Amino acid sequence: MPAAVLTEPQPPTPPSPAADAHELVWEVAEAGVWAAAEPGPRRAMHAGFVHHVGDRYLAVDGLGAGIGAFVDLVVAQSAVALAFRTTFVPSIWMREV
C-alpha cells in the first residue's frame, strides 16, 4: 500500500476580474438604488450597491468603500462586480462546505 502524501490545500481559482456585472444578483432596493448580492440560493455576501445621484451613478463596494462615480448604470454595476471579485476572493472561508 502506498504511503499517504499530505499536501497543502490550494485556494480556489479566482474568477476573472472581467466578470460581467450580471453574474451578481441585482435588485432595486429603493428608487435610484440598486443592491448587488452574490448569486446562489443563500446569497450570503452583500456585493455592493449603486446609487443614482444627479447625473451620476455612485458605486460602493460590499465593505462600504466608494469605488467611483460613473455616467452609466451598467458601467457602475461592472465596477461593483470587479470590486467584489477582487475584494472577496477567495470568499470560501465564509461559506459552508
Side-chain angles (χ1 to χ4, degrees), residues 46-61:
H46 169 67
F49 67 93
V50 174
H51 187 190
H52 188 217
V53 178
D55 64 344
R56 301 282 184 206
Y57 294 91
L58 306 177
V60 178
D61 73 11

Side-chain angles (χ1 to χ4, degrees), residues 26-70:
W26 288 93
E27 296 180 4
V28 176
E30 63 181 62
V33 178
W34 296 264
E38 183 178 39
R42 296 188 55 198
R43 294 189 188 167
M45 294 283 286
H46 169 67
F49 67 93
V50 174
H51 187 190
H52 188 217
V53 178
D55 64 344
R56 301 282 184 206
Y57 294 91
L58 306 177
V60 178
D61 73 11
L63 298 174
I67 299 169
F70 304 89

Side-chain angles (χ1 to χ4, degrees), residues 13-27 35-41 43-48 74 76-86 89 95:
T13 304
S16 166
D20 189 282
H22 300 290
E23 290 181 10
L24 297 175
V25 176
W26 288 93
E27 296 180 4
E38 183 178 39
R43 294 189 188 167
M45 294 283 286
H46 169 67
V74 174
Q77 288 175 326
S78 293
V80 170
L82 178 62
F84 179 73
R85 300 290 184 271
T86 57
V89 172
R95 300 180 192 172

